[in-house]
Amino acid sequence: MDIESNEVDIDFDNLDIDIDEKDFLQKLANVISKREEEIEMIEEEKEKEKREEMEKLESMECIKGMDFEEILEDLRGEFVTIIIKSGGRCNGVECCCAYEGLLCQLGRDLILLIASGRKIFIPIDAIAAVIEED
């Protein structure tokens, strides 16, 4: 087997085996070669997906010089997930909760999130993270 090119070359004429064994070995060599090609195609597809993901990330706008309230204002009318600080500790780590919904209004100190027909008022200083949904 040539490792560089992934080709399998077997000189069956010089082997001291019967015809059925030669046929079996040739089929086995072909299967191995096909599997190697499939693995190479899968790896190429993974690389392509990784490149596409990086291009997508690079195309996203960086928000420079904006304060948190301006970012929230830009997200008004969007479906978001709000991660809030809940205070207290659970198993040695700070606890938090997530609320998903439509970011409706921004007040001076809180936001209004609409989720499943409920109004959720969240203090801005309780927000740990905001995740914009696609």
Side-chain angles (χ1 to χ4, degrees):
M1 179 188 305
D2 182 1
I3 295 176
E4 292 292 319
S5 65
N6 293 330
E7 292 179 6
V8 178
D9 292 323
I10 300 174
D11 184 8
F12 291 109
D13 296 328
N14 293 329
L15 292 177
D16 187 26
I17 56 177
D18 64 34
I19 194 71
D20 289 337
E21 290 173 332
K22 288 181 184 179
D23 187 47
F24 170 76
L25 289 175
Q26 183 60 54
K27 287 180 181 179
L28 183 60
N30 291 340
V31 167
I32 291 170
S33 180
K34 281 185 178 183
R35 293 290 182 237
E36 289 172 344
E37 289 173 8
E38 289 173 357
I39 290 169
E40 187 176 322
M41 286 177 20
I42 290 169
E43 289 173 352
E44 288 174 2
E45 184 64 29
K46 285 181 182 179
E47 279 297 315
K48 179 182 174 189
E49 288 174 2
K50 188 186 287 186
R51 280 193 308 272
E52 288 173 354
E53 184 66 25
M54 289 303 295
E55 288 172 4
K56 182 179 177 184
L57 290 174
E58 289 171 359
S59 71
M60 297 175 90
E61 294 180 23
C62 289
I63 302 172
K64 295 180 181 177
M66 295 180 75
D67 63 15
F68 189 60
E69 286 79 15
E70 290 175 317
I71 294 168
L72 288 174
E73 185 64 40
D74 281 353
L75 293 173
R76 184 158 57 178
E78 300 288 330
F79 190 80
V80 296
T81 299
I82 305 289
I83 310 293
I84 63 167
K85 304 174 215 173
S86 66
R89 297 176 68 78
C90 303
N91 299 327
V93 297
E94 293 296 322
C95 298
C96 62
C97 301
Y99 292 99
E100 295 179 343
L102 184 68
L103 181 56
C104 269
Q105 293 180 346
L106 281 143
R108 186 169 15 120
D109 297 326
L110 52 91
I111 64 168
L112 170 61
L113 193 69
I114 303 293
S116 302
R118 299 180 311 164
K119 294 180 181 179
I120 303 170
F121 296 93
I122 301 172
I124 290 177
D125 63 357
I127 297 173
V130 179
I131 302 168
E132 181 180 13
E133 301 297 324
D134 290 333

